[in-house]
Amino acid sequence: MYTQSLNTREAHAAEDPVREARFQARVDAEEKIEPNDWMPEGYRKTLVRQIAQHAHSEIVGMHPEGNWITRAPSLKRKAALLAKVQDEGGHGAYLYAAAETLGVSREELVEQLLNGKQKYSSIFNYPTLSWADMGIIGWLVDGAAIMNQIPLCRCSYGPYARAMIRICKEESFHQRQGYEIMVTLCRDGTPEQKAMAQEALNRWWWPVLMMFGPSDKDSQHTDKSMRWKIKRFTNDELRQKFVDATVPQGHYLGLTFPDADLKLNEETGHWEFGEIDWAEFKRVIAGDGPCNRQRMKQRKDATENGVWVREAALAYAEKRKARRDAAMRIAAE
Ligand code: FAQ
């Protein structure tokens, strides 16, 4: 399958204006592009980059919350958090499978994460310092992820769009469990619990806004991705939609946002917000955020420590196949 995909990849590499025009017409007509269809090499590369980055984010994104599983304040909270972190692992697996339909193997993608050629979302380079961070991650990080990912359910590439439908359903549950933690802390909690929630919001608000990527004027890939209908909205459009949806939710909790410039523009109906610290964003995606080194070490260790599991699973699959083949041979005789 992999060799076949490589051949397809070579065939795609050649520039072909006629095929490209036909491809663009299909995209414009909202047809789904499937793995065996002809596609421009740039389209394939863009998808591999984005889907791989997305898959890595889900896997690395298990670490900040995984840090709190043993310290969740009740059995109910522990069970919900455990299930959520497992869901994130599942999302990573779907997304690697979607990327594999484009002729790259999961091993190659993991290798590129570990050698720094591919990225994961900036947000997972921040530490989880209190229980309120579990509420904040569900409410804001999953909230931002959903805002970005609902339009991806209409992405022109079929396998990615279909993976996103299930992922979004689960993310929506994650968002609600996070907001429910926030309600418990802020509306039903003690003054200390509310203060803990406010402190968490103060740390996470700006990094969450950075999740949507650079501003449109600095985004390198948006124009092409919009033309190919991989992206349906620009980074700034989605960021604004998120701020508009989230600020009233924060006010319901009685929290204040760490932004002196945040104000509702009565004419446009949008919440205007202050300038994002793009120097911090660049630093974090260049590898110098608070937890980049720790996260990469965790992934390297997990890859190395998991060698025996992968080998055992492969040996077991081969043994089962040999047994099945032998049974079929006997049945055929
Ligand atoms: N972090 O030209 P653009 C989740 C890079 S999943 C790091 O605007 P594009 C679930 C970008 O790669 C969260 N790097 O790029 C969960 C490019 O660099 P390159 C992940 C970033 O692709 C919840 C350069 O900057 N979601 O949270 C970031 O058109 C809770 C220029 O940027 C996805 O991946 C960033 N934040 O737009 C899990 C969704 N932003 O590769 C656990 C799919 C930008 O040229 C717990 N991805 N860069 O070297 C997308 O929608 C897009 O890729 C964007 C970026 C919107 C993220």
Side-chain angles (χ1 to χ4, degrees), residues 49-51 53-55 57-58 60-62 65 84 88 91 117 119-124 137-138 141-142 145 148-149 152 160 171 174 210-215 218-222 225 231 235 238 281 285:
R49 180 187 59 79
Q50 178 167 324
I51 301 173
Q53 177 167 329
H54 196 166
S57 303
E58 296 281 358
V60 179
M62 296 167 79
E65 287 166 294
K84 179 182 190 294
E88 283 149 12
H91 298 172
K117 287 198 181 136
K119 298 188 172 77
Y120 57 90
S121 179
S122 50
I123 194 68
F124 301 117
I137 290 182
V141 176
D142 284 281
N148 166 271
Q149 290 170 20
L152 291 175
Y160 191 28
E171 300 286 28
H174 295 172
M210 294 173 197
M211 276 179 78
F212 293 92
S215 67
D218 295 320
S219 167
Q220 304 146 35
H221 304 290
T222 296
S225 288
K231 282 167 101 165
N235 300 353
L238 289 174
F281 173 71
I285 66 172

Side-chain angles (χ1 to χ4, degrees), residues 182-198:
M182 297 305 289
V183 170
T184 306
L185 294 176
C186 296
R187 296 194 55 116
D188 307 331
T190 61
E192 289 80 8
Q193 286 173 320
K194 189 166 176 195
M196 179 169 72
Q198 180 65 59

Side-chain angles (χ1 to χ4, degrees), residues 12-13 15 20 23 38-49 221 224-225 228 230:
H12 288 169
E15 279 189 27
E20 240 178 276
F23 168 86
W38 187 90
M39 61 187 80
E41 181 58 9
Y43 178 81
R44 193 189 70 81
K45 279 194 175 147
T46 299
L47 280 168
V48 170
R49 180 187 59 79
H221 304 290
K224 272 201 166 167
S225 288
W228 284 328
I230 295 172

Side-chain angles (χ1 to χ4, degrees), residues 30-289:
E30 299 288 340
E31 276 181 45
K32 286 280 175 265
I33 305 300
E34 298 297 339
N36 289 330
D37 294 344
W38 187 90
M39 61 187 80
E41 181 58 9
Y43 178 81
R44 193 189 70 81
K45 279 194 175 147
T46 299
L47 280 168
V48 170
R49 180 187 59 79
Q50 178 167 324
I51 301 173
Q53 177 167 329
H54 196 166
H56 301 323
S57 303
E58 296 281 358
I59 300 296
V60 179
M62 296 167 79
H63 291 292
E65 287 166 294
N67 182 31
W68 277 87
I69 291 172
T70 54
R71 290 176 285 164
S74 69
L75 189 57
K76 179 185 130 185
R77 294 294 185 204
K78 195 192 285 278
L81 189 59
L82 199 57
K84 179 182 190 294
V85 172
Q86 280 179 339
D87 283 352
E88 283 149 12
H91 298 172
Y94 295 154
L95 288 163
Y96 284 125
E100 283 188 315
T101 66
L102 291 155
V104 281
S105 70
R106 179 169 168 164
E107 289 72 23
E108 270 181 275
L109 298 176
V110 171
E111 177 57 30
Q112 291 193 36
L113 169 71
L114 298 184
N115 67 24
K117 287 198 181 136
Q118 282 177 354
K119 298 188 172 77
Y120 57 90
S121 179
S122 50
I123 194 68
F124 301 117
N125 291 305
Y126 291 85
T128 42
L129 303 179
S130 76
W131 171 251
D133 290 14
M134 298 305 99
I136 288 281
I137 290 182
W139 171 37
L140 298 183
V141 176
D142 284 281
I146 296 168
M147 196 56 88
N148 166 271
Q149 290 170 20
I150 293 279
L152 291 175
C153 299
R154 292 188 293 122
C155 164
S156 58
Y157 187 57
Y160 191 28
R162 289 189 288 273
M164 290 319 304
I165 291 170
R166 176 152 174 197
I167 291 177
C168 282
K169 283 189 184 151
E170 292 180 350
E171 300 286 28
S172 151
F173 165 74
H174 295 172
Q175 197 268 353
R176 282 187 217 175
Q177 73 81 41
Y179 194 65
E180 200 258 336
I181 293 176
M182 297 305 289
V183 170
T184 306
L185 294 176
C186 296
R187 296 194 55 116
D188 307 331
T190 61
E192 289 80 8
Q193 286 173 320
K194 189 166 176 195
M196 179 169 72
Q198 180 65 59
E199 189 274 335
L201 176 61
N202 295 348
R203 278 184 288 112
W204 286 91
W205 178 244
W206 290 106
V208 165
L209 295 190
M210 294 173 197
M211 276 179 78
F212 293 92
S215 67
D216 292 351
K217 64 177 176 11
D218 295 320
S219 167
Q220 304 146 35
H221 304 290
T222 296
D223 286 352
K224 272 201 166 167
S225 288
M226 298 277 282
R227 183 153 54 82
W228 284 328
K229 297 193 195 288
I230 295 172
K231 282 167 101 165
R232 298 284 178 157
F233 295 96
T234 70
N235 300 353
D236 286 336
E237 284 168 352
L238 289 174
R239 197 173 359 252
Q240 185 64 58
K241 274 173 180 280
F242 172 78
V243 172
D244 290 343
T246 307
V247 170
Q249 295 169 354
H251 289 163
Y252 173 79
L253 296 171
L255 296 175
T256 52
F257 289 84
D259 178 358
D261 295 324
L262 187 69
K263 61 173 187 308
L264 182 65
N265 182 325
E266 300 282 356
E267 268 173 39
T268 62
H270 292 302
W271 283 90
E272 292 173 354
F273 51 96
E275 185 61 25
I276 290 171
D277 182 352
W278 292 116
E280 174 179 326
F281 173 71
K282 284 187 188 144
R283 224 174 24 249
V284 172
I285 66 172
D288 199 18

